[in-house]
Amino acid sequence: AQSVAQPEDQVNVAEGNPLTVKCTYSVSGNPYLFWYVQYPNRGLQFLLKYITGDNLVKGSYGFEAEFNKSQTSFHLKKPSALVSDSALYFCAVSQRAGFQKLVFGTGTRLLVSP
Amino acid sequence: DTGVSQNPRHKITKRGQNVTFRCDPISEHNRLYWYRQTLGQGPEFLTYFQNEAQLEKSRLLSDRFSAERPKGSFSTLEIQRTEQGDSAMYLCASSQGQLLDIQYFGAGTRLSVL
């Protein structure tokens, strides 16, 4: 069975500094990896996905993620954090190519201070 | 707004009562998913429709839960004889039906069982 671990409940970063939100996964076979963001009273919003190809994936709002097969990681990154990036971030994995059931991590709260 | 719509946004009910939630997916999206999210956790998959066919159900979906998508458009999720443990955010998502396409989430229905 597939699983995702987000080891940090919360990440604090100052505005303008780079940020990293960590994610590791476990699947048998090829992983299909996703990052979503959740703002209060709003649904999950898609940020980016990794299917195959380049290990560095670029997504919405200046976010990117680096896929590392040997470390089974898919960390979310942004070069310069904004206060408006403060939200709850979820990493998710899908194992089966034909059916996209997502298995989510427990989420990481990102707090960007002015 | 052409996003995924869920109604009601909040539902408070007494233990033992039946509740029904509705999800209107993005127009022409073939796939529809239901997830459940409890406090401090990531969303957990409940069930999935391809058009009107319910193709997979999680073991989390007990006999008290039933989901339908009668015409392949909107979907309903009914919980019979609610229990306090059913209190959660119920999320609906839809996707176009392509291989590894993006799931778009609604804002969810928050259920509180007293």
Side-chain angles (χ1 to χ4, degrees):
Chain A
Q2 60 265 42
S3 65
V4 169
Q6 294 185 243
E8 302 155 317
D9 290 336
Q10 183 165 306
V11 170
N12 297 304
V13 65
E15 188 173 31
N17 284 357
L19 69 87
T20 298
V21 182
K22 296 179 180 178
C23 170
T24 58
Y25 65 89
S26 174
V27 296
S28 56
N30 294 324
Y32 305 98
L33 297 156
F34 302 80
W35 275 102
Y36 281 83
V37 59
Q38 188 174 40
Y39 295 97
N41 299 317
R42 297 179 65 179
L44 292 162
Q45 295 179 33
F46 169 79
L47 283 179
L48 50 81
K49 66 179 179 181
Y50 171 82
I51 306 301
T52 186
D54 290 341
N55 290 341
L56 186 63
V57 179
K58 294 189 180 298
S60 306
Y61 313 117
F63 284 93
E64 56 190 26
E66 186 171 11
F67 172 68
N68 188 316
K69 188 173 183 178
S70 63
Q71 297 184 2
T72 61
S73 67
F74 190 56
H75 300 331
L76 182 70
K77 300 181 179 183
K78 188 174 183 182
S80 178
L82 300 173
V83 172
S84 58
D85 292 330
S86 298
L88 190 56
Y89 290 80
F90 289 96
C91 182
V93 65
S94 176
Q95 180 179 355
R96 292 161 54 188
F99 163 50
Q100 199 179 329
K101 163 189 166 181
L102 294 176
V103 175
F104 287 87
T106 53
T108 298
R109 185 165 299 282
L110 174 67
L111 291 178
V112 182
S113 56
Chain B
D1 184 15
T2 58
V4 178
S5 176
Q6 292 189 248
N7 288 288
R9 292 295 306 277
H10 300 94
K11 179 69 176 178
I12 300 174
T13 191
K14 294 182 178 179
R15 187 175 51 188
Q17 297 294 306
N18 299 342
V19 295
T20 299
F21 311 140
R22 176 178 170 127
C23 171
D24 288 272
I26 294 172
S27 178
E28 299 182 355
H29 274 193
N30 295 324
R31 295 179 179 172
L32 187 146
Y33 307 79
W34 286 98
Y35 291 83
R36 182 173 68 185
Q37 185 178 18
T38 54
L39 195 63
Q41 300 296 317
E44 295 175 292
F45 169 78
L46 292 178
T47 190
Y48 151 69
F49 290 85
Q50 174 82 32
N51 298 313
E52 67 275 9
Q54 188 174 17
L55 297 185
E56 187 159 333
K57 293 193 294 185
S58 164
R59 57 183 172 82
L60 294 175
L61 212 65
S62 75
D63 291 344
R64 298 184 296 105
F65 287 70
S66 62
E68 295 182 342
R69 194 183 183 197
K71 297 182 179 179
S73 57
F74 73 92
S75 176
T76 58
L77 177 67
E78 180 183 17
I79 309 174
Q80 296 182 328
R81 306 180 303 281
T82 53
E83 302 173 355
Q84 287 186 329
D86 296 331
S87 297
M89 177 75 84
Y90 290 84
L91 298 170
C92 176
S94 69
S95 69
Q96 286 183 320
Q98 300 170 357
L99 187 66
L100 293 168
D101 56 355
I102 298 166
Q103 292 183 29
Y104 296 90
F105 283 80
T109 294
R110 182 169 297 282
L111 173 65
S112 297
V113 182
L114 304 178

